[in-house]
Amino acid sequence: MSQALIALDKPLEARYKTLAEELRCLVCQNQTLADSHADLAMDLKQQVREQLKAGQSDAQIRAYMVQRYGDFVLYKPPVQSNTALLWAGPFVLLGVGALIGWRVQRAGKLRQSQAQASPVEAPLPAQAQRLSEARAKLKD
């Protein structure tokens, strides 16, 4: 497919470049339309150019692409109820990791301070007496 892209005047070309940076290549996934050279990306670029030439606004072109391909076509999808987990997920995981790290560190410090505060104590006189009586019985 070596179809030539529709030529646009300077103002439309500037809008085209902006839109191409905002839309995702559906094949490459991690590239914008502007960066991609895949056949599907070339078709999408052509559609954007045709719609610009037909007088469509940027919002109308974005809406058309979302209607046809879903929110995934937007390089920066909007925060909505169905995408909230994608936006909040990394922060939630970071918070859980920080909480676990803090708890592990706190438990280690607590264990260390308890070990230093309570060395092995000598038995009390009454305990010593019972211990020696028990040892004496065991020897018999």
Side-chain angles (χ1 to χ4, degrees):
M1 155 172 280
S2 59
Q3 179 178 331
L5 294 175
I6 295 173
L8 300 172
D9 60 10
K10 286 193 181 225
L12 288 181
E13 188 65 34
R15 285 179 53 206
Y16 164 76
K17 287 181 181 181
T18 301
L19 282 167
E21 289 291 330
E22 294 175 3
L23 298 172
R24 178 188 314 271
C25 172
L26 300 171
V27 175
C28 308
Q29 295 184 2
N30 287 327
Q31 286 185 321
T32 64
L33 280 183
D35 297 333
S36 178
H37 300 293
D39 286 344
L40 180 60
M42 298 306 282
D43 289 344
L44 292 175
K45 288 177 188 181
Q46 187 69 9
Q47 285 180 18
V48 170
R49 286 177 174 274
E50 288 170 2
Q51 291 184 24
L52 284 169
K53 197 80 165 171
Q56 299 285 323
S57 71
D58 293 1
Q60 289 172 318
I61 295 170
R62 271 190 230 95
Y64 169 80
M65 292 295 186
V66 168
Q67 178 195 9
R68 191 154 184 201
Y69 301 106
D71 282 332
F72 184 73
V73 77
L74 299 174
Y75 202 70
K76 294 178 183 172
V79 179
Q80 299 172 345
S81 60
N82 62 340
T83 61
L85 184 60
L86 293 174
W87 286 99
F91 299 108
V92 170
L93 289 176
L94 184 63
V96 168
L99 180 65
I100 290 171
W102 176 73
R103 295 279 313 253
V104 167
Q105 185 181 21
R106 186 173 150 223
K109 284 183 179 180
L110 183 61
R111 231 178 281 124
Q112 186 180 23
S113 66
Q114 286 176 346
Q116 290 173 351
S118 61
V120 178
E121 298 175 3
L124 297 172
Q127 291 173 333
Q129 178 68 33
R130 280 184 284 182
L131 258 167
S132 51
E133 287 172 5
R135 285 186 186 135
K137 286 182 185 176
L138 283 175
K139 286 183 183 177
D140 293 337

